[in-house]
Amino acid sequence: MKKRTRAEYTKRIDKVFSYVKGYTHEAEYLERLANPSLEKWNFIQLNTVAHTEFDVCQLQFWHNPSPELFQRMVDALHIQYIAYWSMWKKDEELRAEKKLTLSSELTTLPGFLLAMAMFADDMLRERIVDVTTEALNYKTRNQFKLHVTTLPLAKFLYQDILTRKGIIWGKKEDVPIAPYDKVLANAATCSAEEVEDLLDDLMTYHLKTYHIDSFIANPFDPIWSLFPVEAFALYRYWLIKRKLDIANLQFSDAMLAHYAPYLQQAEYKVSPHIQKIIDGLE
């Protein structure tokens, strides 16, 4: 694996997240986090607070990691689910009015799927598949780069649910490009010794791509730019589902080394006030 130092990542992270450095939480921001209810807030309000909270926590977690900050990131992703649910399952009028928003949200959706493959419980993953199917089938299918990168990987991680429900994501012509083709060809059968090389391929592609200022060409824009969710999700798949002996790998990539200890829980719990709202969604 290529050595990527902490100093290299720090420079990138401080630049990308400069807009939330010293961020002051306003009363309404805190209220949305404390009560992300669709009875009070709409898609845009919840989507905004989820993205902002995730970015704030990424920056703080990089400099001072803690279980509390990681929990806030997990909670922010679950608030994102509430927002997605409201867009795709509830508010048809908003979908019709916000076509540009829909396009940009579709580019972040596969990354969200990969994140929730790690952090959502079994029941929520089932519901996420239903919401995602609504989103991917919405009107004319867009030819984003995500269809040959992160979406096939998400499809792989949700394949057991998709097969059981008889659902197909993507199309036959969506042939994964390098390095996703190699990763997907080996994900289910690779040995623990091969994990680092496969993750390195993903990290190399990610770091060459994340800064491209195009939501069509860049599958990591904007929220996943310096949270390489595809590498994290596969690491967790290999560790938890395939039970490969990789918990103590000494990554030479500083980003993987930084997050790996926090990706090893058997399961993750969302904060109760958020779980209550998710349980109430029909």
Side-chain angles (χ1 to χ4, degrees):
M1 175 173 282
K2 181 179 179 182
K3 183 176 178 61
R4 301 181 184 91
T5 68
R6 183 172 181 81
E8 292 177 66
Y9 278 117
T10 298
K11 184 177 180 180
R12 296 176 189 223
I13 287 171
D14 286 347
K15 180 179 180 180
V16 169
F17 297 123
S18 60
Y19 88 102
V20 293
K21 187 175 182 179
Y23 187 83
T24 301
H25 299 329
E26 297 179 355
E28 184 177 305
Y29 177 97
L30 295 173
E31 190 176 354
R32 292 184 208 175
L33 293 176
N35 180 28
S37 171
L38 291 174
E39 295 180 359
K40 187 161 189 176
W41 314 107
N42 61 31
F43 164 79
I44 294 174
Q45 291 168 321
L46 291 181
N47 186 59
T48 300
V49 78
H51 281 197
T52 303
E53 175 73 353
F54 196 77
D55 286 354
V56 167
C57 292
Q58 278 190 76
L59 178 62
Q60 294 179 5
F61 186 85
W62 180 254
H63 290 286
N64 295 290
S66 70
E68 292 75 20
L69 280 171
F70 198 79
Q71 181 64 51
R72 284 172 59 186
M73 294 168 73
V74 171
D75 284 351
L77 289 168
H78 283 74
I79 293 175
Q80 184 68 64
Y81 168 75
I82 298 170
Y84 274 137
W85 185 93
S86 73
M87 169 67 82
W88 298 112
K89 301 292 283 187
K90 180 183 178 182
D91 201 332
E92 293 184 8
E93 183 178 348
L94 181 62
R95 289 202 300 271
E97 291 177 354
K98 299 292 184 180
K99 293 181 180 178
L100 180 59
T101 299
L102 286 170
S103 296
S104 62
E105 288 308 315
L106 280 173
T107 66
T108 65
L109 184 55
F112 172 77
L113 292 172
L114 294 171
M116 296 306 271
M118 295 187 281
F119 303 130
D121 62 26
D122 290 343
M123 183 177 295
L124 184 54
R125 280 194 290 269
E126 296 263 354
R127 298 173 72 176
I128 286 169
V129 165
D130 295 334
V131 174
T132 299
T133 302
E134 291 276 346
L136 295 177
N137 288 338
Y138 181 75
K139 291 190 179 294
T140 303
R141 179 177 172 277
N142 294 293
Q143 294 295 329
F144 297 127
K145 197 67 166 284
L146 60 88
H147 287 289
V148 291
T149 55
T150 49
L151 184 59
L153 184 54
K155 178 182 175 181
F156 170 77
L157 293 178
Y158 285 85
Q159 192 58 59
D160 55 339
I161 301 175
L162 294 173
T163 299
R164 179 160 28 86
K165 288 177 173 284
I167 294 172
I168 297 175
W169 286 349
K171 295 190 176 182
K172 290 182 179 180
E173 60 264 30
D174 293 336
V175 179
I177 61 174
Y180 285 83
D181 54 353
K182 176 184 174 183
V183 170
L184 286 166
N186 291 278
T189 58
C190 68
S191 66
E193 291 71 27
E194 296 173 295
V195 162
E196 282 194 89
D197 285 341
L198 292 173
L199 289 176
D200 185 56
D201 289 342
L202 287 177
M203 292 298 293
T204 297
Y205 179 83
H206 190 111
L207 293 171
K208 286 182 178 179
T209 309
Y210 83 90
H211 61 280
I212 298 174
D213 188 19
S214 167
F215 67 79
I216 294 177
N218 181 357
F220 313 117
D221 179 53
I223 193 171
W224 314 112
S225 60
L226 283 166
F227 186 86
V229 65
E230 71 282 17
F232 294 162
L234 270 179
Y235 170 76
R236 185 164 168 77
Y237 164 78
W238 286 322
L239 178 70
I240 302 299
K241 189 162 185 177
R242 289 200 52 210
K243 302 186 184 308
L244 296 183
D245 185 16
I246 58 175
N248 296 314
L249 277 179
Q250 300 299 307
F251 290 113
S252 56
D253 179 284
M255 177 69 74
L256 292 175
H258 186 76
Y259 274 95
Y262 291 85
L263 298 173
Q264 297 180 12
Q265 289 180 214
E267 61 181 9
Y268 294 86
K269 297 292 186 182
V270 65
S271 293
H273 69 286
I274 300 173
Q275 185 64 57
K276 183 179 179 179
I277 291 170
I278 290 174
D279 290 342
L281 300 177
E282 297 180 1

